[in-house]
Amino acid sequence: MEILNYAFMQRALLAAVLVGVTAPAVGIYLVQRRQALMGDGIGHVAMTGVGLGFLLSWSPVWMATLVSVLGAVLMELIRWYGKTRGDVALAMLFYGGMAGGVMFINLAPGGSNANLTSYLFGSLSTVSESDVTAICLLAAFVVLVTLGLRRQLFAVSQDEEFARVTGLPVRALNLLTAVTAAVTVTVAMRVVGLLLVSALMVVPVAAAQQLTRSFAATFAVSVAIGVTVTLSGTVTSYYQDVPPGATIVLLTIGAFVLMTVLAAPLARRRARAASAAGPGADPAECRVPATRGATDDAGV
């Protein structure tokens, strides 16, 4: 394939695959926690890290990772202790992050808002070898956390109080989720951009939920959708000369619409099957198993 003859496209495709895996892998926990817009807030904070990277002549990806992790931890602290004024504090954090990014990048030698554009909306041609190395390391961390601790993170995302009663370190797991989301934002910013990354974390999960009925199936389908749309969007942007971030997000929304259309007849078949089982029978998903065992956790 012609597209693979260019080193910058090889790097872009590798980055796209990693983003397609990591964004939905973290997004499924954010959706369960009803924090779907958390990625968007972290993206605003990460702009300050990008600006600092240019100002200090350091890697913008690593600096954005550091700043976004600190911002994510601060967001969790505000959620715990902010109470009634927490929304105001979060608003100042988000808008301050945007303003800081613009200010720092303009103070940098030779810096301008044009340097910030590729990080805001993604850019295939500017993904360097050092960026790919950073993305690979950060993506490995995200995959290890989201898969290795999936049972614990799922329990906390579903019901914090129940998880606390069972002895899980709820606050530590919440912080870990926030940090993992922050790392995912910096992984994705070179492909889809800081302002659009939240869509890739949330929409594939919402699309998968239209057809799936368990956590494990939703996880697998959302990751498959993420990889498909990021690769398709990257290839389309190369051949059609269109912005990669916008292309990927529009394809993701298209996948959601398609899944919604496919889900309608499936729901009708399930309803007919439930009614055929008898008017007094409970739907299959509502029945209580006769015994508890290892199969109870199969969906997780």
Side-chain angles (χ1 to χ4, degrees), residues 39 52-53 55 82 101 109 112 132 138-139 142 153-154 161 166 186 210 221 239 288 295:
L52 278 175
L55 181 62
S112 67
V132 172
L138 295 172
V142 172
L153 294 177
F154 175 78
E161 292 302 321
T166 60
T186 56
Q210 303 303 307
V221 173
Y239 285 109
V288 179
T295 55

Side-chain angles (χ1 to χ4, degrees), residues 33 79-80 152-171 173-174:
R33 289 155 55 100
R79 189 170 74 89
W80 295 342
Q152 293 88 335
L153 294 177
F154 175 78
V156 173
S157 299
Q158 285 292 102
D159 191 334
E160 286 191 7
E161 292 302 321
F162 178 76
R164 187 175 289 109
V165 170
T166 60
L168 289 176
V170 172
R171 288 197 170 180
L173 290 170
N174 281 334

Side-chain angles (χ1 to χ4, degrees), residues 28-290:
I28 190 169
Y29 299 108
L30 299 183
V31 171
Q32 292 291 330
R33 289 155 55 100
R34 292 175 174 81
Q35 293 180 327
L37 295 180
M38 184 177 185
D40 187 55
I42 295 175
H44 286 67
V45 176
M47 290 174 60
T48 292
V50 173
L52 278 175
F54 279 99
L55 181 62
L56 302 177
S57 299
W58 204 46
S59 169
V61 174
W62 286 113
M63 184 60 77
T65 302
L66 176 61
V67 172
S68 60
V69 165
L70 293 175
V73 172
L74 185 57
M75 288 168 63
E76 276 299 302
L77 294 176
I78 291 173
R79 189 170 74 89
W80 295 342
Y81 303 113
K83 300 187 185 301
T84 57
R85 302 305 298 272
D87 57 338
V88 177
L90 287 175
M92 289 191 292
L93 179 65
F94 298 162
Y95 299 136
M98 293 180 64
V102 174
M103 180 63 70
F104 288 137
I105 204 165
N106 279 277
L107 291 176
S112 67
N113 290 340
N115 301 114
L116 197 58
T117 302
S118 63
Y119 292 89
L120 292 176
F121 302 104
S123 176
L124 297 178
S125 60
T126 58
V127 179
S128 64
E129 291 185 6
S130 61
D131 289 337
V132 172
T133 301
I135 290 172
C136 288
L137 293 174
L138 295 172
F141 167 78
V142 172
V143 171
L144 285 174
V145 170
T146 54
L147 289 180
L149 296 175
R150 63 187 182 280
R151 295 179 185 274
Q152 293 88 335
L153 294 177
F154 175 78
V156 173
S157 299
Q158 285 292 102
D159 191 334
E160 286 191 7
E161 292 302 321
F162 178 76
R164 187 175 289 109
V165 170
T166 60
L168 289 176
V170 172
R171 288 197 170 180
L173 290 170
N174 281 334
L175 278 176
L176 183 60
T177 302
V179 169
T180 307
V183 171
T184 303
V185 167
T186 56
V187 168
M189 70 179 182
R190 303 300 278 136
V191 177
V192 295
L194 293 172
L195 296 184
L196 298 174
V197 62
S198 185
L200 198 57
M201 297 171 73
V202 173
V203 180
V205 178
Q209 287 177 334
Q210 303 303 307
L211 295 178
T212 57
R213 304 176 69 183
S214 72
F215 178 82
T218 302
F219 190 101
V221 173
S222 62
V223 168
I225 293 172
V227 172
T228 300
V229 297
T230 50
L231 283 177
S232 301
T234 301
V235 173
T236 301
S237 67
Y238 171 77
Y239 285 109
Q240 301 299 322
D241 192 25
V242 291
T247 304
I248 290 171
V249 171
L250 290 175
L251 287 175
T252 308
I253 295 173
F256 174 80
V257 173
L258 176 62
M259 292 291 188
T260 303
V261 171
L262 294 176
L266 181 61
R268 286 195 293 269
R269 283 197 296 270
R270 286 173 178 169
R272 286 196 296 267
S275 61
D282 292 331
E285 65 270 23
C286 298
R287 294 174 188 159
V288 179

